[in-house]
Amino acid sequence: MLEEAVDPDARWLSAVLHGAFFLLLGSSLARFLIRHSGSADLPWITALSVVLAVLYVLGPGRDLRPAPRARLPRHTWLCAVVTVWVVLVVLAPSFAWCAVPLFYTGLRTLRPRAAIGLLTLLVILVVVAQLELSGRFDPDLVFAPPAVAAIATGVFIRMERQSARQRRLIDDLIRTRRELAASERREGMLAERQRLSMEIHDTLAQGLSSQQMLLQAAARIWGTDPVKARAHVRTAESIAEHNLTEARRFVHDLAPADLAGAGGLDEALRALAVRESGDRLTVRVHIDDGSRSPRLPDRVQSALLRIAQGALANVREHSGATAAALTLTLLDDQAVLDVADDGCGFDAAGPPGTAAGPPGTAAGPPGTAAGVRGHGLPAMRARVGQLGGTLTIESAPGEGAVLSAAIPLETPS
């Protein structure tokens, strides 16, 4: 059978049983030749023994074929082998011992019910043959062969069922592994989509918004104050160049452009404050590192910088603030970034978007369509959550807002 071609244990067992069959066939023929050398049935016994040996040689080769193609030929082969063996047993009862390997062959070839029927026939012939050889009634010869056959059949069926259960378990395990691999691929795709959405929101979208505001301001004063209008255009051009650099970097999953230099997060926050400061908004930066100046992990620096970018973008667009402050506090066990503004604030206990929102909320000016914005705060929470940190917002109407992102740091052992 096919499993014998791929299972070394099955092939080894088949080889043992085939060898045992030929050994029993040879010993039975030798016994007959020694005890009945002058019998008239000797030519028939010898010829039938040769035929049975040839048939059995042709049979095992079929085990390597797939079962659907080999089922009918294998049944035909087994029928021919059993028929020749029955004739031999009738002529010479000593050939009954060859039934032992045929038990295994029948169980392997036929369905359980058909195999039990064949085994019953084999056992009856063995009992009759042994009683004929003994010449007298012997309870052992009557009851021992059926008992041995029943034990062998029970053990075989038990092993086959256990093997089938193991195959089902293996199939389930393989299927589960494939489903897990597919799930991991889907999760990877979703994580990559989330990363891209956060990067686009914190860089390209905010840059485009700033450019739009600058170009609109330049268009309004182009005729009355061309010098200032050109300054707005140059600023918009600088933002566009910076955004192009950011786009190239996050496509390759690199750090933000402001962190590419040797200055670290301190210089990146200061560069961000310079870009965000203008006629209507002034951004200050304060670094409180306790004179320790610890080196933050790259993931922490990148997350804090992106949070600062998103928060300032929403301060500029939604809060109406004239001043904002970035405060980076480096403690022994965590890094804390605070973004505060003096805008109109909002009710922190109420639903987001009902008033001018805090840094990163969906709130916008009157008339803004619901659902158009609102990715900033979830993106910030996702960034902080990935690093095991927390994000809190404090605000009240008319009193501005403060966003605080705290990310834990690994303490050196």
Side-chain angles (χ1 to χ4, degrees), residues 188-227:
M189 293 174 60
L190 292 176
E192 182 65 12
R193 289 180 180 178
Q194 184 181 24
R195 182 186 75 86
L196 291 176
S197 66
M198 290 190 299
E199 295 289 351
I200 291 173
H201 177 273
D202 292 343
T203 55
L204 301 183
Q206 294 171 8
L208 291 173
S209 177
S210 298
Q211 293 173 54
Q212 182 185 29
M213 295 175 63
L214 288 168
L215 292 176
Q216 289 175 347
R220 287 194 300 267
I221 63 174
W222 192 267
T224 58
D225 193 351
V227 175

Side-chain angles (χ1 to χ4, degrees), residues 118-135:
L118 176 62
L119 294 185
T120 302
L121 173 63
L122 296 179
V123 169
I124 292 174
L125 290 175
V126 169
V127 171
V128 172
Q130 293 302 311
L131 289 176
E132 185 177 347
L133 287 175
S134 175

Side-chain angles (χ1 to χ4, degrees), residues 199-208 210-211 214 233-251 255-261 267-276 305-306 308-310 316:
E199 295 289 351
I200 291 173
H201 177 273
D202 292 343
T203 55
L204 301 183
Q206 294 171 8
L208 291 173
S210 298
Q211 293 173 54
L214 288 168
V233 172
R234 286 193 296 270
T235 303
E237 180 183 5
S238 175
I239 294 175
E241 181 180 0
H242 179 79
N243 276 3
L244 180 60
T245 303
E246 288 280 9
R248 289 169 177 169
R249 285 182 173 273
F250 81 70
V251 165
D258 288 333
L259 294 175
E267 296 300 325
L269 292 176
R270 291 188 176 95
L272 174 63
V274 171
R275 285 199 308 273
E276 294 295 334
L305 179 59
R306 293 304 192 201
Q309 290 174 335
R316 182 185 64 249

Side-chain angles (χ1 to χ4, degrees), residues 98-392:
C98 295
V100 176
L102 292 180
F103 286 167
Y104 171 79
T105 305
L107 289 170
R108 296 287 289 172
T109 305
L110 303 175
R111 295 182 180 274
R113 292 184 179 180
I116 292 176
L118 176 62
L119 294 185
T120 302
L121 173 63
L122 296 179
V123 169
I124 292 174
L125 290 175
V126 169
V127 171
V128 172
Q130 293 302 311
L131 289 176
E132 185 177 347
L133 287 175
S134 175
R136 61 185 177 84
F137 179 79
D138 189 340
D140 288 342
L141 298 179
V142 175
F143 298 108
V148 173
I151 293 174
T153 302
V155 171
F156 180 85
I157 293 177
R158 166 70 176 176
M159 293 177 61
E160 282 292 293
R161 290 179 178 176
Q162 185 175 3
S163 178
R165 286 195 294 268
Q166 290 177 348
R167 286 194 295 270
R168 287 194 297 269
L169 289 175
I170 292 174
D171 292 340
D172 290 341
L173 177 60
I174 293 175
R175 182 170 57 256
T176 301
R177 291 181 61 182
R178 289 175 179 173
E179 293 175 354
L180 179 60
S183 177
E184 290 177 348
R185 286 194 296 270
R186 289 193 298 269
E187 290 179 0
M189 293 174 60
L190 292 176
E192 182 65 12
R193 289 180 180 178
Q194 184 181 24
R195 182 186 75 86
L196 291 176
S197 66
M198 290 190 299
E199 295 289 351
I200 291 173
H201 177 273
D202 292 343
T203 55
L204 301 183
Q206 294 171 8
L208 291 173
S209 177
S210 298
Q211 293 173 54
Q212 182 185 29
M213 295 175 63
L214 288 168
L215 292 176
Q216 289 175 347
R220 287 194 300 267
I221 63 174
W222 192 267
T224 58
D225 193 351
V227 175
K228 190 172 183 180
R230 291 189 181 93
H232 287 332
V233 172
R234 286 193 296 270
T235 303
E237 180 183 5
S238 175
I239 294 175
E241 181 180 0
H242 179 79
N243 276 3
L244 180 60
T245 303
E246 288 280 9
R248 289 169 177 169
R249 285 182 173 273
F250 81 70
V251 165
H252 295 286
D253 199 20
L254 300 177
D258 288 333
L259 294 175
L265 183 60
D266 301 5
E267 296 300 325
L269 292 176
R270 291 188 176 95
L272 174 63
V274 171
R275 285 199 308 273
E276 294 295 334
S277 296
D279 296 338
R280 295 184 301 170
L281 179 65
T282 301
V283 181
R284 301 187 309 275
V285 177
H286 178 66
I287 306 298
D288 183 7
D289 57 7
S291 302
R292 292 183 297 272
S293 299
R295 172 66 180 178
L296 297 178
D298 293 340
R299 292 184 62 193
V300 175
Q301 294 190 66
S302 179
L304 292 177
L305 179 59
R306 293 304 192 201
I307 291 172
Q309 290 174 335
L312 287 180
N314 283 279
V315 168
R316 182 185 64 249
E317 295 180 23
H318 306 308
S319 70
T322 58
L326 299 176
T327 302
L328 177 64
T329 305
L330 303 180
L331 305 176
D332 292 333
D333 58 346
Q334 64 179 347
V336 181
L337 174 67
D338 296 319
V339 183
D341 68 78
D342 62 353
C344 58
F346 77 112
D347 183 5
T354 56
T361 64
T368 301
V372 175
R373 301 187 57 84
H375 186 74
L377 185 57
M380 294 180 195
R381 293 194 186 281
R383 290 186 186 278
V384 174
Q386 289 172 357
L387 298 176
T390 58
L391 185 73
T392 59

